[in-house]
Amino acid sequence: MSSHAACGAREGEPEALLQVRDLAVHYVGAGGEEAAVLEEASFDLAVGETLGVLGESGGGKSTLALAVLGLLPPNGRVTAGRVSFHGRDLLRLSRRDLDQVRGDEASMIFQEPGVSLNPCMRAGDQVADVARVHRRWPAKRCREEARAMLELVGFDDSDGVFGAYPHQLSGGQKQRVVIAQALVCRPALLIADEPTASLDATTQAEIVALLRDLRQRLGLAMLFVSHDVALLHSLVDRMIVMYAGQIVESGSRDQVVLKPSHPYTRELLRCVPGGAEKGVGPGRPRLPTILGSPPDPARWPPGCRFEPRCPDRLESCGARRPEPRPAGDAGTVRCLLYDD
Amino acid sequence: MTTEAELDDVSESLLSARGLRKRYTRRGGWSKPLAVQALDGVAVEVVSGSTVAVVGESGSGKSTLARCLALLERPDSGSIRFRGDDLLAANRRSVTAARRRIQMIFQDPASALDPRWTAAEIVGEPLRIRGRERARERRRQALGAMEQVGLLARWADRRPRELSGGQRQRLAIARALILEPEILILDEALSALDLSVQARIVNLLLDLQASRDLAYVFISHELSMVRYLADEVVVLQTGKVVERDTVAGVFNEPRHPHTRELLAATPVLERAAAGGG
């Protein structure tokens, strides 16, 4: 692998739909201090592929998803890197050109569907509006497309939903409307940031099944951000794991979940309660935990960022920064244990 | 499945609810305001030092049940007995006394804590309301409760926003513990927390249960956590208990179709054969 050992990047394959290289983001705090919340993030996403982004809060997974489509909040700024999508660098597009890509060729959905919808506009009109803005079709055609899309996302009564206001819809229904909005222009890429985290288990399963189905039908590539390991494992092709603003591991979903390379991934997976009862009453064994807490983004440790909490740390880990290394089957790991 | 009649035989029960009914009028939907029977004859039995989990989809009545058991909401009919006293028929004094024994922890600690107050003030508030101790003694007890949940004494003067999500949930637990309750009602109390933080709060809950013989009513949609924490599981569907069994019974031999549906809907993490601990 070259010096640009990209986490998740597979060399020698046809060009990816989305290629992210060395992406870095800084946030500016209230006092003007800068924090490097994302660093050296590199990955590829092929046409029709689903890539999961796993991590805990503060790991940088939402920042990564937002930065790809230029949706960082005003205090966030991309400081380095390249995001090429369909061969164009999204980071160098004008606001106007970027607006043409977003919602048309690439869309994003979020955790709270209620926040993404206009409370004063009928659901169907909100879907039709996306088609109107991007396609400039006549109003009638936009409505027809919207209705067809609402059917595609699983509404049997598409007329009823079309005329409903967001407050008349349940959380799962709202998320379906948002998905219809995101897909009405048939994008090649959907970025989903915890789209099911606010839904109950059965609704979550329905939405995941819907996304799986749409991915097939529309040849959609997905970047799916979640803290839920089991959910990601059931949905994605490959996974990247983030900790303290870096991609610490990447690989096929089975490799990451069943044979994790990075100590953080391994420790995180151990925190998930196992599949069987562990005895009854308060005497049941305690869950494994990760010592300490994640470092402060304003003061990253000089060496490996997981070193202060790592059970496998070597003497050199506190001082030397690990670089991504190839690991397992087309995966990468950022850990000195794997250095030769 | 245990029927309600069989439940009546349980003698060492701490909190015992029977035939709880609660109706709300819900606005919205495509049609006119809709009356929703949130609870439709629910019975729950809570035994000292044990954990009852309540599972079900959103709208199944889980949170209404939690609020009724915590005496934050009055059911339309039914009975709630705490150590034998019927709290719905009781006078205000004994209800207030029982309320101290039954505390509730919510999903979002940030919105359950007053942002302007310090950690020690928040934890000591129930004592202030009860009005027995002076300020100095309240602070001493608050620091003691904080220590029990793993919060450092030097954080006593921090405000909620200066604490992490896990620390805030610990703070909410410390506040609930200060009146020495016998039951904690946890309504999705772990759901907003990161995996590694969840594991630590679970361990804290188990430690507290072991040292204080606390009973938990654990309301959650995270079935892997339910399976780990619960002794008994109650499955709710549209306000009715459709299955009630030991945790092993519900997970290994679910009998009601709705229970099977819930179990099937939850992705279970596959593990390597070698097992990671």
Side-chain angles (χ1 to χ4, degrees):
Chain A
M1 220 175 236
S2 74
S3 62
H4 264 265
C7 267
R10 292 158 307 173
E11 313 243 329
E13 288 204 4
E15 198 180 339
L17 172 71
L18 180 71
Q19 204 177 53
V20 174
R21 287 292 175 277
D22 297 320
L23 188 61
V25 172
H26 284 202
Y27 280 136
V28 182
E33 72 284 359
E34 289 212 4
V37 290
L38 183 71
E39 216 181 68
E40 294 172 2
S42 301
F43 65 88
D44 282 2
L45 182 60
V47 174
E49 184 184 42
T50 302
L51 178 66
V53 184
L54 174 69
E56 298 187 280
S57 27
K61 57 190 194 305
S62 289
T63 299
L64 174 62
L66 291 169
V68 166
L69 288 187
L71 291 170
L72 288 171
N75 65 332
R77 175 167 68 84
V78 172
T79 53
R82 194 155 55 78
V83 174
S84 83
F85 176 64
H86 278 320
R88 274 173 303 173
D89 189 350
L90 295 186
L91 300 178
R92 277 159 193 78
L93 289 188
S94 67
R95 168 71 198 266
R96 211 181 133 155
D97 290 341
L98 195 55
D99 278 342
Q100 283 184 347
V101 172
R102 295 187 295 215
D104 188 350
E105 298 165 62
S107 289
M108 184 156 181
I109 60 174
F110 299 89
Q111 176 171 349
E112 276 297 332
V115 179
S116 311
L117 293 171
N118 181 341
C120 312
M121 210 170 150
R122 294 176 192 277
D125 291 334
Q126 301 199 42
V127 179
D129 219 30
V130 179
R132 186 183 60 75
V133 167
H134 287 292
R135 293 281 186 266
R136 301 175 187 283
W137 289 326
K140 184 159 173 267
R141 164 115 197 253
C142 291
R143 280 198 302 274
E144 281 163 7
E145 293 284 338
R147 190 151 301 168
M149 204 60 225
L150 287 170
E151 272 164 31
L152 197 61
V153 299
F155 287 109
D156 295 330
D157 174 20
S158 64
D159 286 335
V161 193
F162 199 100
Y165 288 96
H167 75 273
Q168 298 173 306
L169 303 170
S170 71
Q173 288 170 328
K174 276 187 257 194
Q175 195 58 283
R176 281 174 198 270
V177 172
V178 169
I179 292 171
Q181 249 187 334
L183 301 184
V184 70
C185 291
R186 309 297 154 108
L189 170 66
L190 178 68
I191 298 183
D193 187 4
E194 303 263 16
T196 63
S198 66
L199 307 172
D200 68 82
T202 38
T203 315
Q204 171 175 309
E206 283 166 26
I207 297 291
V208 168
L210 172 69
L211 289 172
R212 213 180 260 136
D213 175 53
L214 291 172
R215 171 178 68 180
Q216 283 288 326
R217 285 201 208 193
L218 308 177
L220 198 60
M222 278 201 284
L223 187 66
F224 197 101
V225 176
S226 177
H227 67 282
D228 187 335
V229 194
L231 169 67
L232 281 183
H233 188 237
S234 74
L235 178 73
V236 306
D237 302 308
R238 286 186 307 129
M239 248 190 237
I240 57 184
V241 183
M242 301 202 62
Y243 179 77
Q246 293 176 330
I247 295 176
V248 295
E249 173 159 10
S250 73
S252 73
R253 65 185 188 118
D254 279 344
Q255 188 191 311
V256 170
V257 171
L258 304 178
K259 284 181 283 176
S261 303
H262 198 281
Y264 172 67
T265 316
R266 196 190 61 219
E267 295 298 305
L268 184 67
L269 288 165
R270 291 176 70 220
C271 295
V272 184
E277 304 75 40
K278 294 289 173 358
V280 165
R284 59 171 72 73
R286 304 299 184 251
L287 282 171
T289 56
I290 307 179
L291 284 173
S293 22
D296 177 352
R299 283 184 295 275
W300 294 124
C304 168
R305 291 181 183 174
F306 190 56
E307 183 269 339
R309 311 174 74 188
C310 182
D312 297 340
R313 66 175 163 268
L314 308 170
E315 232 167 88
S316 52
C317 291
R320 249 182 78 202
R321 279 175 59 102
E323 298 297 328
R325 303 271 156 203
D329 175 24
T332 62
V333 61
R334 188 190 283 271
C335 173
L336 292 180
L337 291 175
Y338 297 85
D339 261 24
D340 323 298
Chain B
M1 198 186 312
T2 323
T3 65
E4 197 167 327
E6 286 169 61
L7 271 184
D8 280 329
D9 296 336
V10 180
S11 51
E12 78 267 52
S13 137
L14 189 61
L15 186 73
S16 154
R18 288 288 177 282
L20 294 184
R21 283 174 204 284
K22 178 83 190 175
R23 202 179 171 84
Y24 291 111
T25 308
R26 199 190 69 176
R27 277 160 226 295
W30 277 281
S31 55
K32 291 177 196 119
L34 199 66
V36 177
Q37 193 71 43
L39 295 179
D40 194 1
V42 172
V44 179
E45 202 69 50
V46 184
V47 178
S48 273
S50 77
T51 303
V52 182
V54 181
V55 302
E57 310 175 272
S58 56
S60 61
K62 303 193 292 274
S63 288
T64 306
L65 177 62
R67 297 178 61 83
C68 285
L69 294 178
L71 307 174
L72 296 173
E73 193 100 56
R74 202 183 160 85
D76 300 332
S77 63
S79 71
I80 298 177
R81 288 177 187 278
F82 180 72
R83 293 197 177 283
D85 295 337
D86 186 346
L87 298 176
L88 300 178
N91 59 27
R92 222 183 128 161
R93 246 181 104 112
S94 47
V95 172
T96 306
R99 233 183 222 145
R100 292 184 183 138
R101 300 272 163 239
I102 308 170
Q103 294 286 325
M104 187 152 171
I105 312 274
F106 299 91
Q107 173 169 358
D108 179 12
S111 60
L113 305 172
D114 190 322
R116 296 165 302 174
W117 288 20
T118 66
E121 285 168 350
I122 287 169
V123 174
E125 187 193 14
L127 295 177
R128 192 177 58 79
I129 293 168
R130 189 175 67 180
R132 277 193 213 151
E133 295 84 0
R134 290 174 171 276
R136 182 185 292 244
E137 172 61 14
R138 287 203 301 266
R139 185 173 167 94
R140 195 190 64 78
Q141 288 193 27
L143 293 181
M146 284 177 61
E147 192 190 330
Q148 281 210 358
V149 301
L151 291 173
L152 303 178
R154 63 185 164 84
W155 296 342
D157 297 313
R158 291 197 184 176
R159 285 167 223 281
R161 70 180 151 77
E162 298 169 285
L163 299 170
S164 70
Q167 288 165 349
R168 284 196 287 248
Q169 199 56 298
R170 283 172 196 264
L171 199 59
I173 294 172
R175 178 175 60 182
L177 288 178
I178 201 157
L179 293 176
E180 310 215 318
E182 293 173 82
I183 301 179
L184 285 192
I185 297 176
L186 304 148
D187 189 2
E188 298 283 6
L190 303 173
S191 308
L193 305 174
D194 274 323
L195 263 181
S196 61
V197 181
Q198 259 184 18
R200 284 201 243 176
I201 300 287
V202 165
N203 291 347
L204 169 66
L205 292 173
L206 289 171
D207 289 343
L208 291 169
Q209 190 166 51
S211 62
R212 295 176 166 226
D213 209 26
L214 267 174
Y216 297 131
V217 177
F218 184 67
I219 288 151
S220 178
H221 69 273
E222 282 170 61
L223 296 182
S224 60
M225 215 42 109
V226 166
R227 192 167 191 172
Y228 194 79
L229 261 182
D231 299 306
E232 204 202 6
V233 181
V234 170
V235 184
L236 279 186
Q237 184 184 23
T238 56
K240 287 195 175 75
V241 175
V242 295
E243 182 156 357
R244 175 200 316 277
D245 205 344
T246 61
V247 67
V250 163
F251 282 94
N252 300 333
E253 293 162 62
R255 273 162 290 185
H256 195 277
H258 186 65
T259 310
R260 289 191 211 118
E261 242 173 71
L262 280 177
L263 293 178
T266 311
V268 177
L269 189 63
E270 295 163 47
R271 306 226 172 217

